[in-house]
Amino acid sequence: MLIRALKLSFGAMIGTLIAYFLGLSHPLTAGVIVLLSLGKTKRSSIEIARVRIKAVALALVLASVLFFIFGFTVYAFSLFLFTYIPLILIFKLEEGLVIGSVLSTHLIIAASSGFGILFNTLSLFVIGVGIAMLVNLYMPDMRGEIIQDQRYIEERFRDILLIMATMIKGNQYFDQSMFVEIETFINDALVRAKMNADNYLRADMSYYANYMNMRKMQFEILKRMFNLTCQIEMELVQAALIADLTKHFAHSLSESNSGEGLLEELAAVLAECQDGTLPKSRQEFENRAILFQYLSEFRHMVELKREFNEKQKELFKGSTFSKCF
């Protein structure tokens, strides 16, 4: 927040001073444009600039025509807005609505749409947008914080898996309040990862955002697995095998683990469960069905990690990120 406040104030001051020393009319407008054009990330600043260039060009052309025909009056400006706003919405240029409207008032104030006022107005816009993009070249690197986020999420996943391993064996544990805290943390971590990716124009920085998104999907599966363990009402031979598999998954959970080995172990456990004797009661049948569904969710969760690794290998082939897998 402090860095952003400094960038906003410094950028607005520099934009205003440049416009003032160039002898442009309404130099403060350049400072205001800096404030309006400074996005939270490098990518957003570029996107804002792209949209606003189109919106301002449309505004000045439309204003010049309408003011020339109907005069430089409030009524002409109202007609301009009545025409300009629908066009902005049609061409999806909403980000430029305010700046385009404000800059068009410069023509009314000058009572002219000649080359001089148009040049002055465009110069203010170029200075404001240009300074905003220059100031945004510096962005704090959040990778250290994101790596800490990764470790924290993996630790919480590990805790939940170990709890479930205990629950599968018949030791009940129903406190689900931890899920709310972890879900909030994952959502915040995903926002940070996306912002960090948008601060780099290289594609490989999207790795962290992709990773957090994968963990978010896994977390949804983890919640379903936890709910299934809450429904187990009796101790089973198969439950011990699945509990051991869950415990092994918890201890092997890491960013670099592709999940290939876990899928092989899961297939072996599933085969052993299927080769066992048939259920002797309805209750045993229902509990074994729950365990089978649990294994299906388990496999889906591990497959998400394997697919993530394969996609990232292909996407970042030859980059430094390929060393992560």
Side-chain angles (χ1 to χ4, degrees), residues 62-80 83:
L62 183 62
S64 297
V65 173
L66 292 177
F67 295 163
F68 178 78
I69 297 172
F70 299 102
F72 299 89
T73 65
V74 174
Y75 304 107
F77 183 67
S78 298
L79 180 60
F80 162 77
T83 310

Side-chain angles (χ1 to χ4, degrees), residues 83-142:
T83 310
Y84 182 57
I85 293 174
L87 290 174
I88 283 289
L89 297 176
I90 291 171
F91 293 113
K92 298 180 180 180
L93 303 174
E94 291 90 342
E95 280 285 351
L97 174 62
V98 174
I99 289 183
S101 301
V102 170
L103 291 179
S104 67
T105 62
H106 288 197
L107 277 64
I108 293 180
I109 294 171
S112 170
S113 58
F115 175 79
I117 187 61
L118 288 175
F119 178 79
N120 186 91
T121 304
L122 285 172
S123 298
L124 293 173
F125 175 72
V126 170
I127 290 170
V129 171
I131 293 297
M133 294 181 67
L134 286 174
V135 169
N136 248 11
L137 286 177
Y138 170 74
M139 283 289 183
D141 192 339
M142 295 188 288

Side-chain angles (χ1 to χ4, degrees), residues 167-172 174 225 227-240 242 273 277-296:
M167 292 173 64
I168 290 170
K169 291 182 178 180
N171 300 314
Q172 295 298 314
F174 295 101
M225 291 169 65
N227 289 331
L228 287 169
T229 59
C230 293
Q231 300 172 37
I232 298 172
E233 298 175 344
M234 63 184 297
E235 293 186 34
L236 297 168
V237 175
Q238 295 82 0
I242 296 172
C273 291
T277 59
L278 294 173
K280 296 180 176 59
S281 65
R282 180 183 180 87
Q283 185 184 28
E284 184 181 350
F285 172 79
E286 290 174 348
N287 278 261
R288 285 175 66 171
I290 292 170
L291 290 175
F292 178 78
Q293 189 176 352
Y294 176 92
L295 283 177
S296 296

Side-chain angles (χ1 to χ4, degrees), residues 127-293:
I127 290 170
V129 171
I131 293 297
M133 294 181 67
L134 286 174
V135 169
N136 248 11
L137 286 177
Y138 170 74
M139 283 289 183
D141 192 339
M142 295 188 288
R143 278 179 290 181
E145 185 178 357
I146 292 169
I147 290 170
Q148 291 300 317
D149 290 345
Q150 288 177 304
R151 291 173 181 169
Y152 179 83
I153 291 169
E154 289 171 4
E155 287 172 5
R156 297 292 76 79
F157 275 29
R158 191 172 294 114
D159 293 340
I160 294 172
L161 287 163
L162 291 174
I163 289 171
M164 289 195 302
T166 303
M167 292 173 64
I168 290 170
K169 291 182 178 180
N171 300 314
Q172 295 298 314
Y173 180 96
F174 295 101
D175 183 14
Q176 299 191 37
S177 59
M178 57 182 171
F179 284 98
V180 177
E181 177 193 348
I182 298 170
E183 186 167 21
T184 301
F185 186 90
I186 291 174
N187 289 333
D188 292 342
L190 180 57
V191 170
R192 281 190 287 272
K194 286 181 177 178
M195 285 185 64
N196 191 67
D198 284 346
N199 282 330
Y200 295 87
L201 302 182
R202 305 199 317 268
D204 54 11
M205 283 301 167
S206 65
Y207 167 79
Y208 297 110
N210 296 338
Y211 174 89
M212 293 299 177
N213 195 51
M214 179 270 296
R215 289 301 189 201
K216 182 179 174 66
M217 291 189 289
Q218 281 190 323
F219 182 70
E220 294 302 317
I221 298 173
L222 204 57
K223 287 193 292 184
R224 295 199 295 270
M225 291 169 65
F226 187 89
N227 289 331
L228 287 169
T229 59
C230 293
Q231 300 172 37
I232 298 172
E233 298 175 344
M234 63 184 297
E235 293 186 34
L236 297 168
V237 175
Q238 295 82 0
L241 293 172
I242 296 172
D244 289 341
L245 179 65
T246 303
K247 191 180 296 184
H248 177 62
F249 181 27
H251 291 306
S252 63
L253 184 72
S254 70
E255 179 184 3
S256 58
N257 190 340
S258 67
E260 292 289 349
L262 282 167
L263 286 173
E264 291 175 5
E265 290 180 41
L266 192 151
V269 169
L270 182 60
E272 190 170 347
C273 291
Q274 290 173 335
D275 291 339
T277 59
L278 294 173
K280 296 180 176 59
S281 65
R282 180 183 180 87
Q283 185 184 28
E284 184 181 350
F285 172 79
E286 290 174 348
N287 278 261
R288 285 175 66 171
I290 292 170
L291 290 175
F292 178 78
Q293 189 176 352

